[in-house]
Amino acid sequence: MKMNQAMTFRRLRCWQMLWGLLLAAGLTGCGAPQGTSRSQEAAAPAPMAAKAESTLGTQWGEGRESAVQTVEATRLSPERPQAVSQLQYSDEASIRRALGSDGDRQLNVLLAEGDVEWAVEDGQGRPLPIFSTRGGRSYQLAGRNGERYELVYTNRSQRHYEIVATVDGLDVLTGQAGSVRNAGYLLRPGQTLRIDGFRKSRREVAAFRFAAKERAYAANAPAGDARNVGVIGSALFEVRVDEHTPDLPRRRAPEVEQGDPSAFPADGRQYAPPPQYRR
């Protein structure tokens, strides 16, 4: 298994500073043209697309190594992401039946006016096909039951971005309900970031694997909602990074005996809890 190294943000002054993670090992350089400043990406009107009913979910897969570090960074527009996008996913046959002859196939999605390319790759590093209606911006990802996958983001700009990612409505870092206010992964200029699972600890993630909907993590976790199974989300925030910040481990919550009352129950777990299969 490859080692992914990550960095987390420290949150200061309420919402202005944030926690995040940077997958550093497995980062690959790429050409990075000089970007220009601009406001939040505008959402252009797009034709309505036929959508396939999701036949797949994402299961809590095998453990994979992924180390975590922390850095300080500030969102430049804390309440306004530069881009928000989602991929609904199902098996390819269902998607093709729904789209018919109007289907258009691509291998990635452009975010923040092309600053970032977002792809989904299988366990062998091959991009999975993404379908839409021609000229549309409603995307459908084709997966296969049992297949492992990774979310892959390539930064073509000189900006630092924070990537807040969700799978089946759950935050990939904490396993809690997804929100753009949650922490994310840091994507540096000219680099590629791979998110390959739900974070279990500072050193491990549970791999993303396509599975039957009833085996999805979101259908078997306390914070999950089966109605959200079949969608992957990404939100981008431009951030300013303090490059002189040393590695700062995430603060541990005070230990509380099981069964004892807790004044801060949400602080007891910083990462995603394991699933609880009901059948």
Side-chain angles (χ1 to χ4, degrees):
M1 295 180 202
K2 66 176 180 291
M3 171 73 76
N4 285 330
Q5 188 179 32
M7 291 187 180
T8 62
F9 295 110
R10 170 189 262 177
R11 186 186 297 274
L12 298 175
R13 291 189 298 176
C14 299
W15 45 260
Q16 288 192 352
M17 302 300 292
L18 55 140
W19 286 96
L21 297 169
L22 166 66
L23 298 178
L27 292 175
T28 56
C30 62
Q34 180 68 39
T36 57
S37 61
R38 74 269 187 265
S39 59
Q40 180 182 3
E41 183 178 70
M48 296 296 292
K51 296 179 182 178
E53 181 178 354
S54 177
T55 60
L56 298 171
T58 296
Q59 189 169 22
W60 177 280
E62 70 279 7
R64 297 180 66 83
E65 291 181 284
S66 178
V68 178
Q69 295 178 333
T70 61
V71 295
E72 287 186 0
T74 307
R75 286 182 179 178
L76 302 188
S77 55
E79 302 299 325
R80 298 180 60 194
Q82 271 62 49
V84 177
S85 187
Q86 68 178 38
L87 302 174
Q88 294 185 324
Y89 64 89
S90 189
D91 66 280
E92 185 167 345
S94 295
I95 294 173
R96 287 186 177 276
R97 281 196 301 269
L99 295 181
S101 59
D102 292 331
D104 193 23
R105 175 182 168 130
Q106 60 197 72
L107 298 180
N108 59 34
V109 172
L110 300 183
L111 304 176
E113 297 181 350
D115 274 11
V116 175
E117 297 174 2
W118 177 23
V120 180
E121 296 182 357
D122 65 16
Q124 286 71 50
R126 297 171 299 201
L128 299 178
I130 299 170
F131 294 88
S132 66
T133 55
R134 290 180 175 85
R137 298 176 66 177
S138 179
Y139 303 110
Q140 300 181 63
L141 173 72
R144 292 185 292 272
N145 197 324
E147 184 174 53
R148 187 175 71 83
Y149 70 87
E150 301 178 348
L151 310 182
V152 182
Y153 303 85
T154 301
N155 190 348
R156 301 294 185 186
S157 76
Q158 292 294 326
R159 301 181 178 88
H160 289 81
Y161 281 107
E162 180 199 9
I163 310 291
V164 179
T166 66
V167 171
D168 294 344
L170 294 180
D171 188 280
V172 299
L173 300 181
T174 65
Q176 303 304 303
S179 169
V180 295
R181 295 180 178 85
N182 290 349
Y185 288 84
L186 180 65
L187 178 60
R188 294 184 182 276
Q191 293 182 329
T192 293
L193 162 71
R194 294 177 177 273
I195 303 175
D196 57 355
F198 295 104
R199 180 152 294 280
K200 299 171 63 176
S201 70
R202 282 177 59 88
R203 296 189 173 279
E204 186 180 359
V205 296
F208 297 136
R209 280 198 178 273
F210 291 119
K213 295 180 72 171
E214 63 270 16
R215 302 299 292 178
Y217 176 49
N220 296 278
D225 187 335
R227 294 173 297 182
N228 294 326
V229 172
V231 64
I232 302 169
S234 293
L236 270 66
F237 290 89
E238 187 176 356
V239 295
R240 181 174 63 253
V241 177
D242 183 354
E243 298 290 357
H244 303 292
T245 303
D247 178 25
L248 301 170
R250 300 183 77 175
R251 293 178 295 176
R252 293 176 58 87
E255 296 293 336
V256 177
E257 292 293 331
Q258 188 172 7
D260 286 352
S262 174
F264 300 96
D267 292 339
R269 177 175 290 276
Q270 301 178 36
Y271 304 111
Q276 301 171 7
Y277 293 110
R278 297 172 176 86
R279 61 181 184 275

